[in-house]
Amino acid sequence: MKRILAAAILIGLAAPLAAQPTPDGPAPDPRVERQRNNAAKLAGLVAFVDASCPGAKGDADRLRSAVSRLGVDPDELSRGDLNLRARAYTEIYQKDVEANCRRALDTFGEAGTAIPGLVVRK
């Protein structure tokens, strides 16, 4: 069940925010876009946890490391398209604060199944 939740967090919400081909160039590589979108999801999750989960906080160093492993420059999360995507995910997670805080700790907490230690208790 935890793996299903992790998959939903990391992959399930990708469709509405998937990058579209630009009229000025070729369509982006789907694998690269998937990785970029996953990086935005993680950043959005950490921002959500920091703002909305009173007993938890995100580990910024672990986030930077996870995003780097996805092949994305962590600095890209603070500007442009990736910043907008991360903010959109933060808003999505805020639709059910209690459940998403619990899922964040279950999936990304110290004993998490996805990226252990990304979210830690305060």
Side-chain angles (χ1 to χ4, degrees):
M1 183 64 154
K2 288 182 181 180
R3 292 189 191 276
I4 293 171
L5 292 174
I9 290 172
L10 293 176
I11 297 169
L13 299 172
L17 297 176
Q20 301 297 314
T22 61
D24 299 331
D29 179 353
R31 182 180 180 280
V32 170
E33 280 308 305
R34 188 171 40 253
Q35 299 297 71
R36 290 173 54 80
N37 203 57
N38 285 338
K41 284 181 192 178
L42 292 173
L45 177 72
V46 168
F48 161 75
V49 167
D50 288 345
S52 301
C53 302
K57 65 179 183 171
D59 183 327
D61 291 334
R62 187 134 330 181
L63 174 63
R64 290 181 69 79
S65 175
V67 168
S68 294
R69 283 193 311 267
L70 289 170
V72 177
D73 179 358
D75 293 334
E76 286 188 62
L77 294 168
S78 63
R79 63 183 184 274
D81 179 52
L82 283 186
N83 182 265
L84 294 175
R85 288 190 212 184
R87 288 179 186 219
Y89 280 111
T90 298
E91 288 182 30
I92 289 168
Y93 297 133
Q94 288 173 339
K95 289 184 179 182
D96 189 350
V97 172
E98 186 178 326
N100 287 325
C101 285
R102 186 174 49 253
R103 282 187 203 121
L105 282 168
D106 290 346
T107 307
F108 298 98
E110 289 299 323
T113 57
I115 303 172
L118 181 63
V119 174
V120 296
R121 294 197 183 274
K122 286 185 182 178

